[in-house]
Amino acid sequence: MEVEALKNCQKEIAPYIHRTPILTSETINRMLGADVYFKCENFQKGGAYKIRGATNAVLQLSDAQKERGVVTHSSGNFAQALSLAAQSLGSKAFIVMPSTAPQVKKDAVAEYGGEIIECEPNLRAREAAAQSIELDTGATFIHPSNDQNVIIGQGTAALEMLEELPDLEFIIAPVGGGGLIAGTSLAVHYFGKGCKVVGAEPYEVDDAYRSLLSGKIETNETVNTIADGLMTQLGDQSFPIIQQYVDSIIRVTENDIITAMRLIWERMKIIVEPSSAVALAAVLSDKERFAGKKVGIIISGGNVDLKKLPF
Amino acid sequence: MEVEALKNCQKEIAPYIHRTPILTSETINRMLGADVYFKCENFQKGGAYKIRGATNAVLQLSDAQKERGVVTHSSGNFAQALSLAAQSLGSKAFIVMPSTAPQVKKDAVAEYGGEIIECEPNLRAREAAAQSIELDTGATFIHPSNDQNVIIGQGTAALEMLEELPDLEFIIAPVGGGGLIAGTSLAVHYFGKGCKVVGAEPYEVDDAYRSLLSGKIETNETVNTIADGLMTQLGDQSFPIIQQYVDSIIRVTENDIITAMRLIWERMKIIVEPSSAVALAAVLSDKERFAGKKVGIIISGGNVDLKKLPF
């Protein structure tokens, strides 16, 4: 059933998303002694992979539901993605955003026709605000990551990679709420050939690493990471998939993230956000494991506030 | 003869360069009401188109000449390009660089095996230092732009564009020493179909614009531009070609350049240097002229000091 869901999703979202390019860097390959392939979701519509899952979720709604709109809470990329998906599919999006979200992300939501409702920057306030909109407007709540349709949609990035590079031995993706890594691991399970999925996570928000150890969903006490897309925790939809299909999770330091981000910017000449650099940072921090291998890295997005760069 | 030179060059340099991708941006197309295609030489080896001309120039040398090496003076991208070309072709490069050149460019030259000789940041000092190395070592001097083999090499970027997009109506390239625009105009003259070549230049260093008006090579009194690759003036090899084959030159302000650069960074998620943004700035400053047209823009390079961004 998940096989069909993935294949159907890929076909149905195709008119609304970009098939992003896969880039390589001789310098990075030389540094790692591996063949590394970067799936550039920073070039995706809305600047991140999130449009895949958002589009798939909106596509499942009835006409009456679309009429009433969708609502989500998101600190960033999913906000833009759901706004854009709703706009493309003739619906409307209510976006609950923390008041502290970067201006560049608020601007993008507004540009894509999303209606922003600001709230205090904590999970409880976000959930309450979203629930109140749901009740007031009849809009359908779509979670940024803990949603089967969203998870399936995010898996299509790995699906595209495996179509072009069927013999990949690893795919590395960053872990935030778990939607991308869960979708990726499903796609790789059904369409890979012995390929392993490895998650990449900052030490500062290593809830997924600890969740796999303890067998239950762990939370982060603090979120002192530059990888602003990875602060959220796993959910009851994403966690069981991750438990079943993800090989392991590599944790990286903040310095590792900045070094990897700078390497991508300077050598590949592409703009990636810190959360995306976490995946390359993971490979750089465990070179022996990946030496001589064909490794896919999902560059999850490129939405950065250029006024707040770490270098 | 130039037709054959271009075709031969394209074939001969192919093993040593990347065939760079051509990217598009829906946002930018919408803003301009035009179809704009970006030839991404920022993804080229050495981070700029310069490797094309440098490789072609080194390929023309005899074995004895290669043994003695090559020498140039360059404030930036040609320095890296010639170092890399010499390394790839079993020669060596002496690079005269102004002491004020960005550290990131000095590092890249060193990494590619080039030997750096620092000099005062003015043309006279650069020429004197290069000449002294020529005399001391027997190395062959290769000018960064005012050299027929270099000009032909730089033209291959446009040649690749026209192979993929034969019905382009305009190609826009920045104008510094004139090597890129001269080569581009030759390629377009022989391989385009009614395509026009337009140069883009900062007001602050508008020597090429004034040279076309006066009919002789003009110089810049000051070089107060962020486009550090465009400070040099035309030469006796590039100017006649530009006079004959370039349609016109559009001048842009420093603000135009920064706005265009930011637009490319934020929307296309690629890193381009200020000199590259000048070409898009030119199109943005004369929208009526390009409305409804198929326009190629050569993104000349992506070598930026990330510590010195204008935004």
Side-chain angles (χ1 to χ4, degrees), chain A residues 192-245:
Chain A
K193 293 177 187 161
C195 179
K196 285 180 180 168
V197 173
V198 175
E201 200 175 33
Y203 274 104
E204 293 289 339
V205 288
D206 65 347
D207 57 292
Y209 178 86
R210 287 182 286 107
S211 300
L212 283 185
L213 280 186
S214 71
K216 63 183 177 56
I217 296 172
E218 302 286 347
T219 58
N220 297 305
E221 296 294 311
T222 55
V223 288
N224 297 320
T225 180
I226 189 181
D228 60 342
L230 307 184
M231 294 170 176
T232 46
Q233 63 189 62
L234 305 181
D236 61 352
Q237 302 293 307
S238 57
F239 182 49
I241 300 172
I242 294 168
Q243 277 187 303
Q244 194 168 357
Y245 298 121

Side-chain angles (χ1 to χ4, degrees), chain A residues 18 23 26 42-43 45 47 111-112 262 265-271 302-303 306-307 309 311, chain B residues 18 23 26 42-43 45 47 111-112 262 265-271 302-303 306-307 309 311:
Chain A
H18 291 313
L23 299 184
E26 286 175 25
N42 53 333
F43 295 160
K45 289 197 187 195
E111 187 192 324
Y112 295 141
R262 187 170 188 150
W265 283 50
E266 287 191 343
R267 292 316 180 113
M268 299 185 68
K269 311 296 182 190
I270 61 174
I271 289 176
N303 293 324
L306 294 176
K307 291 197 192 304
L309 298 180
F311 33 69
Chain B
H18 291 314
L23 299 184
E26 286 175 23
N42 52 332
F43 294 161
K45 289 196 188 196
E111 187 190 324
Y112 295 141
R262 185 166 189 154
W265 282 50
E266 287 192 344
R267 293 315 181 113
M268 299 184 67
K269 311 297 182 190
I270 61 174
I271 290 176
N303 293 325
L306 292 176
K307 290 197 192 306
L309 298 180
F311 32 71

Side-chain angles (χ1 to χ4, degrees), chain B residues 105-132:
Chain B
K105 298 197 173 188
K106 290 182 194 168
D107 290 348
V109 165
E111 187 190 324
Y112 295 141
E115 187 176 316
I116 298 172
I117 298 93
E118 291 200 2
C119 72
E120 292 296 302
N122 65 66
L123 187 60
R124 186 170 307 200
R126 286 159 61 158
E127 288 178 346
Q131 206 163 24
S132 136

Side-chain angles (χ1 to χ4, degrees), chain B:
Chain B
M1 200 201 79
E2 282 154 344
V3 178
E4 279 167 31
L6 277 162
K7 289 205 151 192
N8 285 340
C9 170
Q10 186 184 26
K11 201 168 56 189
E12 287 168 14
I13 68 174
Y16 306 103
I17 68 160
H18 291 314
R19 181 161 185 133
T20 54
I22 294 171
L23 299 184
T24 59
S25 161
E26 286 175 23
T27 306
I28 292 173
N29 284 348
R30 215 179 307 121
M31 285 176 66
L32 286 166
D35 290 324
V36 185
Y37 300 87
F38 295 87
K39 176 68 170 169
C40 288
E41 291 292 300
N42 52 332
F43 294 161
Q44 187 54 266
K45 289 196 188 196
Y49 71 93
K50 300 265 183 180
I51 188 72
R52 297 174 179 272
T55 303
N56 194 43
V58 177
L59 278 168
Q60 313 308 317
L61 302 179
S62 68
D63 285 350
Q65 284 175 314
K66 271 192 225 160
E67 179 68 29
R68 290 193 296 271
V70 289
V71 55
T72 195
H73 52 73
S74 163
S75 62
N77 287 335
F78 193 74
Q80 302 178 38
L82 192 64
S83 301
L84 188 53
Q87 192 180 58
S88 300
L89 294 164
S91 183
K92 65 188 164 198
F94 301 96
I95 310 292
V96 177
M97 293 185 95
S99 48
T100 52
Q103 190 58 41
V104 64
K105 298 197 173 188
K106 290 182 194 168
D107 290 348
V109 165
E111 187 190 324
Y112 295 141
E115 187 176 316
I116 298 172
I117 298 93
E118 291 200 2
C119 72
E120 292 296 302
N122 65 66
L123 187 60
R124 186 170 307 200
R126 286 159 61 158
E127 288 178 346
Q131 206 163 24
S132 136
I133 291 163
E134 222 182 322
L135 290 171
D136 290 352
T137 64
T140 303
F141 178 72
I142 296 178
H143 192 279
S145 55
N146 197 42
D147 175 300
Q148 285 296 326
N149 296 318
V150 170
I151 289 170
I152 290 290
Q154 315 308 28
T156 57
L159 201 52
E160 288 177 11
M161 280 201 104
L162 290 168
E163 282 177 353
E164 289 173 50
L165 301 160
D167 55 349
L168 280 180
E169 294 167 273
F170 287 97
I171 293 185
I172 325 288
V175 186
L180 178 62
I181 192 84
T184 299
S185 69
L186 281 178
V188 169
H189 174 71
Y190 291 109
F191 297 96
K193 294 177 188 163
C195 179
K196 286 180 180 168
V197 173
V198 174
E201 202 175 33
Y203 273 105
E204 294 289 339
V205 288
D206 65 347
D207 57 293
Y209 178 86
R210 288 182 284 107
S211 300
L212 282 185
L213 278 186
S214 71
K216 62 185 177 55
I217 296 171
E218 302 286 347
T219 58
N220 297 305
E221 296 293 311
T222 54
V223 288
N224 297 320
T225 180
I226 191 182
D228 59 341
L230 308 184
M231 292 170 177
T232 45
Q233 63 189 60
L234 305 181
D236 61 351
Q237 302 293 306
S238 56
F239 183 48
I241 300 172
I242 293 168
Q243 277 187 304
Q244 193 169 358
Y245 297 122
V246 171
D247 180 76
S248 53
I249 290 179
I250 296 175
R251 294 174 300 169
V252 297
T253 67
E254 296 301 298
N255 271 344
D256 291 342
I257 299 169
I258 293 168
T259 301
M261 181 170 164
R262 185 166 189 154
L263 188 62
I264 295 172
W265 282 50
E266 287 192 344
R267 293 315 181 113
M268 299 184 67
K269 311 297 182 190
I270 61 174
I271 290 176
V272 303
E273 55 192 55
S275 304
S276 293
V278 170
L280 177 61
V283 178
L284 284 165
S285 76
D286 197 358
K287 284 187 196 173
E288 298 71 27
R289 184 167 174 196
F290 301 104
K293 304 290 186 190
K294 288 189 80 165
V295 181
I297 284 179
I298 300 183
I299 295 289
S300 49
N303 293 325
V304 186
D305 192 335
L306 292 176
K307 290 197 192 306
K308 290 183 184 165
L309 298 180
F311 32 71

